[in-house]
Amino acid sequence: MIRCIYSPFTDIYFHLAAEEYLLKQGNEDIFMLWQDTPSVVIGKHQRLRSEVDQEWAEREQVHIARRFSGGGAVYHDLGNVNLTFIETTPRLPEFVTYLQRTLDFLNSMGLMATGGERLGIYLNGLKISGSAQCLYKDRVLYHCTLLYDTDLTALHQALNPAPMVDDETLSSVYAVPSVRSEVTNIRRHLSAGTVTDFKEKAFQYFSKSQSVSAFTKEEIEAVNQLREEKYIQKEWIYSCLLYTSPSPRDISGS
């Protein structure tokens, strides 16, 4: 039985903390659907200044966050829907399984979406979803975005940093660059429906015959503590968490 959570919150730092908490502190299989107010999120091993127009984001009050999984930079707003799958697995998971679940949902809505080799999802050759994955002991987390009615002008602005001169002091370490793709909104390919309609259909699809529950009071307290101690801290967001070679524990499809 999978525990399904329809998050009532719209705070990127809370949701990133919730994902880490549910992955590391729990043993339940989880599906979570969530959204955020305008935010740009970079992968654990990315250089912020290489991925984000930081001045624009700060001027427009777009939150800047770093997640604990690998992968590339993404833009969130209330036109974007996020799906998270957390499961216990006795062996190295095949992440394409989670991609296929999302494709099956989109296909059920009449969308002829296809998957890519980096576990992205495309409609007519344009990207509508990116994903990232990570492992913790015998637990796996897979999360993806679904661009439903996102402000694509803001997305392009946020993820369009000014060119910079390479820092020679960092030449011996590795930062994961985002792979740029042309994107589109799912709503353009459906005859009608708001993002709320889309969220409801997605949650109904993934929660069918499963256990639906909200965050408990204790979970909210623990997640908010992790949010305060880690995810809103500049040391976490702005530090270059670089490494000498790609880690097999942080895998990206973004």
Side-chain angles (χ1 to χ4, degrees):
M1 185 69 70
I2 300 173
R3 178 187 174 194
C4 300
I5 301 172
Y6 192 125
S7 176
F9 306 110
T10 57
D11 175 65
I12 182 60
Y13 306 111
F14 177 89
H15 286 131
L16 294 177
E19 287 186 319
E20 181 173 352
Y21 178 82
L22 293 170
L23 175 71
K24 294 183 177 180
Q25 303 304 321
N27 55 18
E28 299 173 293
D29 290 347
I30 301 284
F31 167 75
M32 183 170 71
L33 184 148
W34 49 287
Q35 286 180 291
D36 297 309
T37 53
S39 311
V40 59
V41 189
I42 61 174
K44 180 178 181 180
H45 300 295
Q46 291 196 297
R47 277 184 214 165
L48 176 63
R49 61 181 179 171
S50 300
E51 303 295 335
V52 179
D53 186 336
Q54 186 177 337
E55 291 185 359
W56 180 88
E58 292 174 350
R59 184 171 64 251
E60 297 298 320
Q61 297 184 318
V62 172
H63 298 297
I64 298 174
R66 183 187 296 272
R67 62 181 181 269
F68 67 97
S69 62
V74 292
Y75 177 79
H76 291 192
D77 64 14
L78 294 177
N80 178 73
V81 177
N82 303 291
L83 309 180
T84 299
F85 301 90
I86 300 173
E87 296 181 352
T88 300
T89 176
R91 60 184 65 86
L92 187 66
E94 294 186 15
F95 294 115
V96 71
T97 300
Y98 303 98
L99 170 69
Q100 190 60 53
R101 292 182 193 177
T102 309
L103 285 173
D104 289 344
F105 160 64
L106 294 171
N107 294 162
S108 76
M109 296 188 68
L111 295 166
M112 295 300 100
T114 57
E117 62 179 13
R118 293 179 57 80
L119 304 184
I121 298 176
Y122 299 83
L123 280 172
N124 298 331
L126 300 176
K127 194 171 186 178
I128 59 168
S129 174
S131 67
Q133 309 81 32
C134 69
L135 303 175
Y136 176 76
K137 297 182 179 178
D138 62 347
R139 302 270 282 167
V140 58
L141 179 143
Y142 175 102
H143 47 191
C144 68
T145 60
L146 287 172
L147 298 174
Y148 184 78
D149 195 19
T150 295
D151 183 341
L152 298 184
T153 299
L155 180 153
H156 289 299
Q157 184 65 59
L159 302 179
N160 187 34
M164 65 175 188
V165 177
D166 190 37
D167 189 338
E168 293 183 0
T169 64
L170 298 176
S171 60
S172 63
V173 293
Y174 182 88
V176 176
S178 294
V179 178
R180 308 294 175 180
S181 301
E182 292 297 320
V183 298
T184 188
N185 276 316
I186 293 171
R187 188 171 185 176
R188 292 188 57 192
H189 303 265
L190 292 176
S191 58
T194 65
V195 67
T196 299
D197 296 330
F198 182 74
K199 285 193 303 177
E200 294 290 344
K201 290 177 181 177
F203 193 75
Q204 289 172 10
Y205 180 90
F206 287 106
S207 65
K208 186 177 181 180
S209 302
Q210 303 298 333
S211 173
V212 177
S213 68
F215 290 108
T216 66
K217 179 181 178 181
E218 292 74 19
E219 285 173 335
I220 291 174
E221 290 176 351
V223 169
N224 275 325
Q225 182 176 348
L226 182 58
R227 175 190 185 276
E228 297 296 316
E229 293 178 352
K230 178 177 180 178
Y231 282 97
I232 67 170
Q233 296 298 321
K234 290 185 177 180
E235 291 80 5
W236 169 255
I237 298 169
Y238 295 98
S239 295
C240 288
L241 303 175
L242 305 178
Y243 53 104
T244 55
S245 61
S247 167
R249 308 294 288 184
D250 294 308
I251 311 166
S252 166
S254 299

